[in-house]
Amino acid sequence: MTHPHALEDMQATAIAGIAVILVVGAALARLAQRVHQPAVIGEITAGILLGPSLLGLFPGDLTQRLFPDNVRPLLAMVAQLGLLLFMFTVGWELDWSTMRRRKRSVAGVTAGSMLGPLVLGMGVAAIIYGNHSRVDGDTVPFFSFVLYLGVSMSITAFPVLARILKDNHIGRTKIGALALTSAAFGDVLAWCLLAAVVAIVTSSGPSGFTDTVWMSAGYGAAMIAVVRPLLARAVAWTSKRGNGTYLAGLVTAGLLLSAYTTAKIGIHPIFGAFAFGLAMPRKPKELLEEKMLRPLQHAGELMLPVYFIITGLSVDIASMSATAWGELALILAAAIIGKLLGAALPARTFGLTWRESTGVGVLMNTRGLTELVILGVGLNLGVLDQTLFTEMVLMALITTAMAGPVLPYFVPRARMDLVSSRSGPASVVRLPEHKGGQATSDLAG
């Protein structure tokens, strides 16, 4: 039993640690924005710098003093709650109507941008498997390792991409609209695929995997047939009375219960929060944004930086060997080439120029926080060791940071084909005509 004074000391240390995280994260996020990078780059960097990669190199073991082992479970709980709120907002903000309007082009870019890095990533995983086949004394199954690494490389961070498009004022260009919609659709597919991979990794055998699949199917059916209609009625009832005071609290309770359910099924709590966001009604939009989305976003923004320090504590750049740097080069090549070719080739077939198609590939190459979430799951499941985890985090950081400086070469402001602001993001976007004179407008669906 923990002594009351010891518990109070742990809580005080955790509070002080969170204060340090918030200050350093805010400072580096601001610095990242000043150099035209998304804030998440600065926040991820803050987590790495506060870990053994930098702070831990100074005398006095400062990382351990700030974030001692007995306090880390408290920090992990705060980080998990911030992560669940983030995953819920990602699910709620997906625009299904936009996906339906551009079905063929979105399907092509989505499939290509996922399959390219998935195949190349699995190839790299097969090459480096021998160096990472054992984690904490246990052997990682070859198939689980290869599949997990391939899936993690196929991700595009929809929230980070949306921010990049907004900051560069290209959200309503044909390039921006195609990339954002493809990333949104790809996010749904990626989370479904990851859920299947997690079920494979955590199942105790074929029968255990079958049970997980059936329970997951039942959960999905219940969310569609029961939870979604109940949520729609609850929101309609709240809207009629014009009182959404308790909406944020009730929605948080619901997403936590959904996360608990998926955790008991065996597929990680983040999938429950994400699915609850998908099931949540979108109308009345003004009420939901004011009473639900903004409070949850603000709460998540306060807690999510703690997730970066939890990540940073497992990233140790200083201990990377020459072999590890060579593996990082392979991982980067597979991730970048897979995304660029996988997204650019389908975009080209739907009428974009090579320059514009490459711009789509550059945008789809951003991974950001979404990648960290997936890597964190792999680390907790024992699929990734700390060295490979460090390599993959660096890959996520580099590929996300690439978009800012590289994008202007492929999407110059003077050549932007902006859609009238009256049309909205789901409007029809006309593509350039082919040389033969036949116009292509598949971006409109």
Coordinates of all heavy atoms in Angstrom, one line a residue, residues 24-84:
V24 N 7.4 24.0 -22.2 CA 8.4 23.7 -23.3 C 7.6 23.4 -24.6 O 8.0 23.9 -25.7 CB 9.2 22.5 -22.9 CG1 10.2 22.1 -24.0 CG2 10.1 22.9 -21.6
G25 N 6.5 22.7 -24.5 CA 5.7 22.4 -25.7 C 5.2 23.6 -26.4 O 5.2 23.8 -27.6
A26 N 4.7 24.6 -25.6 CA 4.1 25.9 -26.1 C 5.2 26.7 -26.8 O 5.1 27.2 -27.9 CB 3.5 26.7 -25.0
A27 N 6.4 26.7 -26.1 CA 7.5 27.5 -26.7 C 8.0 26.9 -28.0 O 8.2 27.6 -29.0 CB 8.7 27.5 -25.7
L28 N 8.2 25.6 -28.1 CA 8.6 25.0 -29.3 C 7.5 24.9 -30.4 O 7.9 25.0 -31.6 CB 9.2 23.6 -29.1 CG 10.5 23.5 -28.3 CD1 11.0 22.1 -28.2 CD2 11.6 24.4 -29.0
A29 N 6.3 24.9 -30.0 CA 5.2 24.9 -31.0 C 5.2 26.3 -31.7 O 5.0 26.4 -32.9 CB 3.9 24.7 -30.3
R30 N 5.4 27.3 -30.9 CA 5.5 28.7 -31.4 C 6.7 28.8 -32.3 O 6.6 29.5 -33.4 CB 5.6 29.7 -30.3 CG 5.7 31.2 -30.7 CD 4.5 31.6 -31.5 NE 4.6 33.0 -31.9 CZ 3.9 33.6 -32.9 NH1 3.1 32.8 -33.6 NH2 4.1 34.8 -33.2
L31 N 7.8 28.3 -31.9 CA 9.0 28.3 -32.8 C 8.8 27.6 -34.1 O 9.2 28.1 -35.1 CB 10.2 27.7 -32.0 CG 11.5 27.7 -32.7 CD1 12.0 29.1 -33.1 CD2 12.6 27.0 -31.9
A32 N 8.1 26.5 -34.0 CA 7.8 25.7 -35.3 C 7.0 26.5 -36.2 O 7.2 26.6 -37.4 CB 7.1 24.4 -34.9
Q33 N 6.0 27.2 -35.7 CA 5.1 28.0 -36.5 C 5.8 29.2 -37.1 O 5.6 29.6 -38.3 CB 3.9 28.5 -35.7 CG 2.9 27.4 -35.3 CD 1.8 27.9 -34.4 OE1 2.1 28.8 -33.5 NE2 0.6 27.3 -34.5
R34 N 6.8 29.7 -36.4 CA 7.6 30.8 -37.0 C 8.5 30.4 -38.2 O 8.8 31.2 -39.0 CB 8.5 31.4 -35.9 CG 7.7 32.2 -34.8 CD 8.6 32.8 -33.8 NE 9.5 33.8 -34.3 CZ 9.2 35.1 -34.4 NH1 8.0 35.5 -34.0 NH2 10.0 36.0 -35.0
V35 N 8.8 29.1 -38.2 CA 9.6 28.6 -39.4 C 8.7 27.9 -40.3 O 9.1 27.0 -41.1 CB 10.8 27.7 -38.9 CG1 11.8 28.6 -38.1 CG2 10.3 26.5 -38.1
H36 N 7.4 28.2 -40.3 CA 6.4 27.7 -41.2 C 6.2 26.1 -41.1 O 6.1 25.4 -42.1 CB 6.7 28.1 -42.7 CG 6.9 29.5 -42.8 ND1 5.9 30.5 -42.7 CD2 8.1 30.3 -43.1 CE1 6.4 31.7 -42.8 NE2 7.7 31.6 -43.1
Q37 N 6.2 25.6 -39.9 CA 5.9 24.2 -39.6 C 4.7 24.1 -38.8 O 4.4 25.0 -38.0 CB 7.1 23.6 -38.9 CG 8.4 23.4 -39.8 CD 8.2 22.3 -40.8 OE1 7.3 21.5 -40.8 NE2 9.1 22.3 -41.8
P38 N 3.9 23.0 -38.9 CA 2.8 22.8 -38.0 C 3.2 22.8 -36.5 O 4.3 22.3 -36.2 CB 2.1 21.5 -38.5 CG 3.2 20.9 -39.3 CD 4.1 21.9 -39.8
A39 N 2.4 23.2 -35.6 CA 2.7 23.3 -34.2 C 3.1 21.9 -33.7 O 3.9 21.8 -32.8 CB 1.5 23.8 -33.4
V40 N 2.5 20.8 -34.2 CA 2.8 19.5 -33.7 C 4.2 19.1 -33.9 O 4.8 18.3 -33.1 CB 1.8 18.5 -34.4 CG1 2.2 18.3 -35.9 CG2 1.9 17.1 -33.7
I41 N 4.9 19.7 -34.9 CA 6.3 19.4 -35.0 C 7.1 19.9 -33.8 O 8.0 19.2 -33.3 CB 6.9 20.1 -36.3 CG1 6.3 19.5 -37.6 CG2 8.4 20.1 -36.3 CD1 6.9 18.1 -37.8
G42 N 6.8 21.1 -33.3 CA 7.4 21.6 -32.1 C 7.1 20.8 -30.9 O 7.9 20.6 -30.0
E43 N 5.8 20.4 -30.8 CA 5.4 19.6 -29.6 C 6.1 18.3 -29.6 O 6.5 17.8 -28.5 CB 3.9 19.5 -29.6 CG 3.2 20.8 -29.4 CD 1.7 20.8 -29.6 OE1 1.2 19.9 -30.4 OE2 1.0 21.6 -29.0
I44 N 6.2 17.6 -30.7 CA 6.8 16.3 -30.8 C 8.3 16.5 -30.4 O 8.9 15.7 -29.7 CB 6.7 15.7 -32.2 CG1 5.3 15.3 -32.5 CG2 7.6 14.4 -32.3 CD1 5.0 14.8 -33.9
T45 N 8.9 17.5 -31.0 CA 10.3 17.8 -30.7 C 10.5 18.1 -29.2 O 11.5 17.6 -28.6 CB 10.8 19.0 -31.5 OG1 10.6 18.8 -32.9 CG2 12.3 19.3 -31.3
A46 N 9.6 18.8 -28.6 CA 9.7 19.0 -27.1 C 9.7 17.8 -26.3 O 10.5 17.6 -25.4 CB 8.5 19.9 -26.7
G47 N 8.8 16.8 -26.7 CA 8.8 15.5 -26.1 C 10.1 14.8 -26.2 O 10.6 14.2 -25.2
I48 N 10.7 14.8 -27.4 CA 12.0 14.2 -27.6 C 13.1 14.8 -26.8 O 14.0 14.2 -26.2 CB 12.4 14.1 -29.1 CG1 11.3 13.3 -29.9 CG2 13.8 13.6 -29.3 CD1 11.5 13.3 -31.4
L49 N 13.1 16.2 -26.8 CA 14.2 16.9 -26.1 C 14.2 16.7 -24.6 O 15.2 16.7 -23.9 CB 14.1 18.4 -26.4 CG 14.4 18.8 -27.9 CD1 14.3 20.3 -28.1 CD2 15.7 18.2 -28.4
L50 N 13.0 16.5 -24.0 CA 12.8 16.3 -22.6 C 13.1 14.9 -22.2 O 13.2 14.6 -21.0 CB 11.4 16.7 -22.1 CG 11.1 18.2 -22.1 CD1 9.6 18.4 -21.8 CD2 11.9 19.0 -21.2
G51 N 13.3 14.0 -23.1 CA 13.6 12.6 -22.8 C 15.1 12.4 -22.8 O 15.9 13.3 -22.7
P52 N 15.5 11.1 -22.9 CA 17.0 10.8 -22.9 C 17.8 11.3 -24.0 O 19.0 11.3 -24.0 CB 16.9 9.2 -22.8 CG 15.6 8.9 -23.4 CD 14.7 9.9 -23.0
S53 N 17.1 11.7 -25.1 CA 17.9 12.2 -26.3 C 18.7 13.4 -26.0 O 19.7 13.6 -26.6 CB 16.9 12.4 -27.5 OG 16.3 11.2 -27.9
L54 N 18.2 14.3 -25.1 CA 18.9 15.5 -24.8 C 19.0 15.8 -23.3 O 20.1 15.8 -22.8 CB 18.2 16.7 -25.5 CG 18.9 18.1 -25.2 CD1 20.3 18.1 -25.8 CD2 18.1 19.2 -25.8
L55 N 17.8 16.0 -22.7 CA 17.8 16.3 -21.3 C 18.5 15.2 -20.4 O 19.2 15.5 -19.5 CB 16.4 16.5 -20.8 CG 16.3 17.2 -19.4 CD1 16.9 18.6 -19.3 CD2 14.8 17.2 -18.9
G56 N 18.3 14.0 -20.9 CA 18.9 12.9 -20.1 C 20.5 12.8 -20.2 O 21.1 12.1 -19.5
L57 N 21.0 13.6 -21.2 CA 22.5 13.6 -21.4 C 23.2 14.5 -20.4 O 24.4 14.4 -20.1 CB 22.8 14.0 -22.8 CG 22.3 13.1 -23.9 CD1 22.7 13.8 -25.3 CD2 22.8 11.7 -23.8
F58 N 22.4 15.4 -19.7 CA 23.0 16.3 -18.8 C 23.3 15.7 -17.4 O 22.6 14.7 -17.1 CB 22.2 17.6 -18.6 CG 22.1 18.5 -19.8 CD1 21.2 18.3 -20.8 CD2 23.1 19.5 -19.9 CE1 21.1 19.2 -21.9 CE2 23.1 20.3 -21.0 CZ 22.1 20.2 -22.0
P59 N 24.3 16.1 -16.7 CA 24.5 15.6 -15.3 C 23.3 15.7 -14.4 O 22.5 16.6 -14.5 CB 25.7 16.4 -14.8 CG 26.3 17.0 -16.0 CD 25.2 17.2 -17.0
G60 N 23.2 14.7 -13.6 CA 22.1 14.8 -12.6 C 20.8 14.0 -13.0 O 19.9 14.0 -12.2
D61 N 20.9 13.3 -14.2 CA 19.7 12.5 -14.7 C 18.4 13.3 -14.6 O 17.5 12.9 -13.9 CB 19.6 11.2 -13.8 CG 18.8 10.2 -14.6 OD1 18.5 10.4 -15.7 OD2 18.6 9.1 -14.0
L62 N 18.4 14.5 -15.3 CA 17.3 15.4 -15.1 C 16.0 14.8 -15.6 O 14.9 15.1 -15.1 CB 17.6 16.7 -15.9 CG 18.8 17.5 -15.4 CD1 19.1 18.7 -16.3 CD2 18.6 17.9 -14.0
T63 N 16.0 14.0 -16.7 CA 14.8 13.4 -17.2 C 14.2 12.5 -16.1 O 12.9 12.6 -15.8 CB 15.1 12.5 -18.4 OG1 15.5 13.4 -19.5 CG2 13.8 11.8 -18.9
Q64 N 15.0 11.7 -15.4 CA 14.5 10.9 -14.3 C 14.0 11.7 -13.1 O 13.0 11.3 -12.5 CB 15.6 9.9 -13.9 CG 15.1 8.8 -12.9 CD 14.0 7.9 -13.4 OE1 14.0 7.6 -14.6 NE2 13.2 7.4 -12.5
R65 N 14.6 12.8 -12.9 CA 14.2 13.6 -11.8 C 12.8 14.3 -12.1 O 12.0 14.4 -11.2 CB 15.2 14.7 -11.4 CG 16.5 14.1 -10.8 CD 17.6 15.2 -10.7 NE 17.1 16.2 -9.7 CZ 17.3 16.2 -8.4 NH1 17.9 15.1 -7.9 NH2 16.9 17.2 -7.6
L66 N 12.7 14.7 -13.3 CA 11.4 15.4 -13.7 C 10.3 14.4 -13.9 O 9.1 14.6 -13.5 CB 11.6 16.2 -15.0 CG 12.0 17.6 -14.9 CD1 12.3 18.2 -16.3 CD2 11.0 18.5 -14.2
F67 N 10.6 13.2 -14.4 CA 9.6 12.2 -14.8 C 10.1 10.8 -14.2 O 10.4 9.9 -15.0 CB 9.4 12.1 -16.3 CG 9.2 13.5 -16.9 CD1 10.2 14.0 -17.7 CD2 8.1 14.2 -16.7 CE1 10.1 15.2 -18.3 CE2 7.9 15.5 -17.3 CZ 8.9 16.0 -18.1
P68 N 10.1 10.7 -12.9 CA 10.5 9.4 -12.3 C 9.6 8.3 -12.7 O 8.4 8.5 -13.1 CB 10.5 9.7 -10.8 CG 9.6 10.8 -10.6 CD 9.7 11.7 -11.9
D69 N 10.1 7.0 -12.6 CA 9.3 5.9 -13.0 C 8.0 5.7 -12.3 O 7.0 5.4 -12.9 CB 10.2 4.6 -12.8 CG 11.4 4.5 -13.7 OD1 11.3 5.2 -14.8 OD2 12.4 3.9 -13.3
N70 N 8.0 6.1 -11.0 CA 6.7 5.9 -10.3 C 5.6 6.9 -10.6 O 4.5 6.8 -10.3 CB 7.0 5.9 -8.7 CG 7.5 7.2 -8.3 OD1 8.1 8.0 -9.1 ND2 7.4 7.5 -7.0
V71 N 6.0 8.0 -11.3 CA 5.1 9.0 -11.7 C 4.6 8.8 -13.1 O 3.5 9.3 -13.5 CB 5.8 10.4 -11.6 CG1 5.0 11.5 -12.2 CG2 6.0 10.8 -10.1
R72 N 5.3 8.1 -13.9 CA 4.9 7.9 -15.3 C 3.6 7.3 -15.5 O 2.9 7.7 -16.5 CB 6.0 7.1 -16.0 CG 7.3 7.9 -16.1 CD 8.4 7.2 -16.9 NE 9.7 7.9 -16.7 CZ 10.8 7.6 -17.4 NH1 10.8 6.5 -18.1 NH2 11.9 8.3 -17.2
P73 N 3.1 6.4 -14.7 CA 1.7 5.9 -14.9 C 0.7 7.0 -14.7 O -0.4 7.0 -15.4 CB 1.5 4.8 -13.8 CG 2.9 4.3 -13.5 CD 3.8 5.5 -13.7
L74 N 0.9 8.0 -13.8 CA 0.0 9.1 -13.7 C 0.0 10.0 -15.0 O -1.1 10.4 -15.5 CB 0.4 10.0 -12.5 CG 0.3 9.3 -11.1 CD1 0.8 10.2 -10.0 CD2 -1.1 8.8 -10.8
L75 N 1.2 10.2 -15.5 CA 1.3 11.0 -16.7 C 0.7 10.2 -17.9 O 0.0 10.8 -18.8 CB 2.8 11.2 -17.1 CG 3.6 12.1 -16.0 CD1 5.0 12.2 -16.5 CD2 2.9 13.5 -16.0
A76 N 0.9 8.9 -17.9 CA 0.3 8.1 -19.0 C -1.2 8.2 -19.0 O -1.9 8.2 -20.0 CB 0.7 6.6 -18.9
M77 N -1.8 8.3 -17.8 CA -3.3 8.3 -17.7 C -3.8 9.7 -18.3 O -4.8 9.7 -19.1 CB -3.7 8.2 -16.2 CG -5.2 8.1 -16.0 SD -5.9 6.6 -16.8 CE -6.9 7.3 -18.1
V78 N -3.1 10.8 -18.0 CA -3.4 12.1 -18.5 C -3.3 12.0 -20.0 O -4.1 12.5 -20.8 CB -2.6 13.2 -17.9 CG1 -2.9 14.5 -18.6 CG2 -2.8 13.3 -16.4
A79 N -2.2 11.5 -20.5 CA -1.9 11.4 -21.9 C -3.0 10.6 -22.6 O -3.4 10.9 -23.7 CB -0.5 10.8 -22.2
Q80 N -3.4 9.5 -22.0 CA -4.4 8.6 -22.6 C -5.7 9.3 -22.8 O -6.4 9.2 -23.8 CB -4.6 7.3 -21.8 CG -5.6 6.3 -22.4 CD -4.9 5.5 -23.5 OE1 -3.9 5.9 -24.0 NE2 -5.6 4.4 -23.9
L81 N -6.1 10.1 -21.8 CA -7.4 10.9 -21.9 C -7.3 11.9 -23.0 O -8.2 12.1 -23.8 CB -7.7 11.5 -20.5 CG -9.0 12.3 -20.4 CD1 -10.2 11.3 -20.8 CD2 -9.2 12.8 -19.0
G82 N -6.2 12.6 -23.1 CA -6.0 13.6 -24.1 C -6.0 12.9 -25.5 O -6.6 13.5 -26.5
L83 N -5.4 11.7 -25.6 CA -5.4 11.0 -26.9 C -6.8 10.6 -27.3 O -7.2 10.7 -28.5 CB -4.5 9.8 -26.7 CG -4.2 9.0 -28.0 CD1 -3.6 9.9 -29.0 CD2 -3.3 7.8 -27.6
L84 N -7.6 10.1 -26.3 CA -9.0 9.7 -26.6 C -9.8 10.9 -27.1 O -10.6 10.7 -28.0 CB -9.6 9.0 -25.4 CG -9.0 7.7 -25.0 CD1 -9.7 7.2 -23.7 CD2 -9.0 6.7 -26.1

